């Protein structure tokens, strides 16, 4: 009989778990806490724009695919556009060719608060506008309802300035045209039954305007004779070079407080001091940074490249 023995030096080792916090389950992982001094909006798993209360964690979703994007972390922002859901109000100046019919369609938040803007004049451009007291870089945004009207029949324009910044949209396809010396960028997000237009203007903007029928034609020609209707909701004008989640307003500007996401690195026996980290986002991209751990804790910055955080891990 042959005996095979193993000495005491043979043991089984498991690699230690990587120090990381994962946000892909829809709940905060152990050791993560979030506070926020105001309510804030997000898209839920049904694609509806909903409001989370003070300190409510926002697990945001793609409003079309309903996929979980991650936990939404944003800085403090202020919407300076008054009556953001009420274009009929006198807070919005209207060219006489524009007619506003209030509360005609269901908005992204499920309420019947989207307005229909109609330009029936062939002698002037029908528009709604608002001017702000401070000239600075601004990002303007608005939800525009999808329809079957292509730009050959009518296209709408979101305008910022000065200097002139125009973002034209084909409401049937979501195709955009950017124009004007002041425009920095223009994007559109598919939000299900609505497009969300986002216009980033120059360094001295103090005004936003919306033209419901600025032109008609495949080559995007502006034409005062263009007529038609668009359905809009949720105007936002915020200082800065990015758009953030929607902040509703009434008679005064409204502020959404910053999200404060705190991670307990002490639970991984990580000492206080500098900690190299990697932040992973909804689109598969990542960003490296260094946090300072104090008392075992470190706060996630609100200045990351993207606001939808899926994972934070030690490098």
């Amino acid at each position: 009989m042959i005996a095979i023995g193993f000495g005491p030096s043979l043991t089984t080792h498991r690699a230690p778990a990587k120090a990381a916090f994962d946000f892909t389950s829809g709940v905060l992982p152990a050791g993560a806490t979030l506070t926020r001094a105001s309510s804030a909006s997000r898209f839920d798993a049904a694609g509806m724009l909903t409001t989370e209360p003070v300190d409510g964690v926002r697990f945001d979703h793609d409003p079309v695919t309903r996929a979980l994007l991650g936990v939404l972390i944003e800085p403090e922002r202020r919407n300076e556009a008054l009556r953001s859901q009420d274009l009929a109000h006198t807070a919005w100046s209207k060219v006489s060719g524009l007619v506003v019919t209030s509360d005609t369609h269901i908005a992204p938040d499920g309420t019947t608060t989207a307005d229909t803007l109609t330009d029936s004049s062939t002698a002037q451009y029908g528009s709604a506008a608002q001017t702000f007291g401070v000239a600075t870089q601004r990002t303007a945004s608005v939800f525009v309802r999808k329809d079957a009207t292509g730009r050959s029949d009518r296209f709408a324009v979101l305008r910022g300035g000065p200097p002139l910044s125009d973002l034209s949209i084909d409401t049937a396809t979501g195709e955009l045209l950017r124009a004007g010396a002041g425009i920095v960028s223009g994007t559109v997000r598919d939000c299900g039954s609505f497009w969300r237009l986002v216009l980033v203007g120059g360094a001295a903007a103090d005004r936003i305007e919306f033209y419901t029928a600025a032109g008609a034609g495949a080559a995007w020609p502006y034409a005062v004779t263009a007529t038609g209707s668009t359905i809009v909701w949720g105007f936002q004008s915020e200082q800065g070079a990015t758009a953030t989640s929607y902040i509703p307003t009434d008679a005064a500007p409204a502020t959404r407080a910053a999200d404060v996401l705190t991670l307990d690195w002490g639970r991984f026996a990580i000492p206080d001091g500098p900690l190299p980290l990697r932040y992973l986002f909804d689109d598969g991209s990542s960003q490296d940074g260094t946090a300072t751990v104090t008392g075992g804790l470190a706060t996630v910055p609100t200045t990351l490249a993207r606001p939808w955080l899926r994972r934070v891990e030690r490098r």
Side-chain angles (χ1 to χ4, degrees), residues 34-124:
L34 186 139
T35 60
R36 187 185 56 256
S38 73
S39 60
S41 65
R42 66 158 182 132
F43 283 100
D44 65 16
M48 187 76 69
L49 189 68
T50 60
T51 300
E52 294 297 328
V54 170
D55 295 338
V57 183
R58 292 185 293 162
F59 283 97
D60 203 21
H61 295 75
D62 185 301
V64 177
T65 68
R66 315 294 169 84
L68 175 64
L69 299 176
V71 63
L72 183 57
I73 303 298
E74 295 183 301
E76 178 180 292
R77 280 293 180 90
R78 186 171 185 248
N79 184 4
E80 297 181 332
L82 307 182
R83 305 290 179 178
S84 61
Q85 299 170 195
D86 184 8
L87 272 289
H89 196 275
T90 55
W92 292 92
S93 61
K94 272 82 71 174
V95 171
S96 58
L98 185 76
V99 174
V100 180
T101 307
S102 299
D103 304 338
T104 59
H105 289 75
I106 297 174
D109 67 349
T111 63
T112 307
T113 51
D115 297 339
T116 298
L117 308 186
T118 303
D119 176 5
S120 57
S121 172
T122 59
Q124 55 188 336

Side-chain angles (χ1 to χ4, degrees), residues 6-314:
F6 297 95
S9 62
L10 182 62
T11 58
T12 300
H13 294 280
R14 291 183 179 178
K18 188 168 186 176
F21 292 88
D22 187 272
F23 302 100
T24 59
S25 68
V27 295
L28 286 182
T33 59
L34 186 139
T35 60
R36 187 185 56 256
S38 73
S39 60
S41 65
R42 66 158 182 132
F43 283 100
D44 65 16
M48 187 76 69
L49 189 68
T50 60
T51 300
E52 294 297 328
V54 170
D55 295 338
V57 183
R58 292 185 293 162
F59 283 97
D60 203 21
H61 295 75
D62 185 301
V64 177
T65 68
R66 315 294 169 84
L68 175 64
L69 299 176
V71 63
L72 183 57
I73 303 298
E74 295 183 301
E76 178 180 292
R77 280 293 180 90
R78 186 171 185 248
N79 184 4
E80 297 181 332
L82 307 182
R83 305 290 179 178
S84 61
Q85 299 170 195
D86 184 8
L87 272 289
H89 196 275
T90 55
W92 292 92
S93 61
K94 272 82 71 174
V95 171
S96 58
L98 185 76
V99 174
V100 180
T101 307
S102 299
D103 304 338
T104 59
H105 289 75
I106 297 174
D109 67 349
T111 63
T112 307
T113 51
D115 297 339
T116 298
L117 308 186
T118 303
D119 176 5
S120 57
S121 172
T122 59
Q124 55 188 336
Y125 293 100
S127 66
Q130 214 171 118
T131 302
F132 312 101
V134 178
T136 186
Q137 183 168 46
R138 293 179 179 277
T139 295
S141 56
V142 61
F143 292 88
V144 178
R145 196 171 191 271
K146 297 177 181 177
D147 56 37
T149 304
R151 67 177 183 269
S152 292
D153 294 318
R154 182 265 297 146
F155 61 84
V157 170
L158 176 63
R159 172 173 288 178
L164 183 66
S165 304
D166 279 7
L167 185 62
S168 304
I169 182 169
D170 181 329
T171 51
T173 66
E175 186 178 357
L176 300 179
L177 177 71
R178 295 178 290 180
I183 192 167
V184 175
S185 67
T187 57
V188 63
R189 184 185 184 190
D190 189 341
C191 295
S193 58
F194 282 77
W195 309 107
R196 191 187 190 194
L197 295 185
V198 175
L199 169 64
V200 180
D206 68 351
R207 183 175 174 85
I208 60 170
E209 303 172 4
F210 187 84
Y211 293 81
T212 191
W220 302 94
Y222 285 27
V224 71
T225 55
T227 59
S229 298
T230 52
I231 298 151
V232 298
W233 181 85
F235 276 85
Q236 188 150 306
S237 177
E238 49 193 313
Q239 296 185 22
T242 57
T244 63
S245 58
Y246 175 58
I247 307 165
T249 65
D250 287 314
T255 299
R256 182 198 59 246
D259 296 286
V260 182
L261 177 61
T262 303
L263 306 179
D264 181 8
W265 294 101
R267 67 192 306 271
F268 297 106
I270 291 176
D272 285 1
L275 176 63
L277 295 176
R278 177 161 293 148
Y279 303 96
L280 291 88
F281 305 114
D282 61 297
D283 64 348
S285 65
S286 64
Q287 179 179 347
D288 290 346
T290 301
T292 299
V293 178
T294 304
L297 306 177
T299 300
V300 173
T302 59
T303 54
L304 295 174
R306 291 182 68 82
W308 297 285
L309 192 59
R310 293 180 65 82
R311 183 177 172 88
V312 183
E313 61 188 29
R314 181 184 183 182

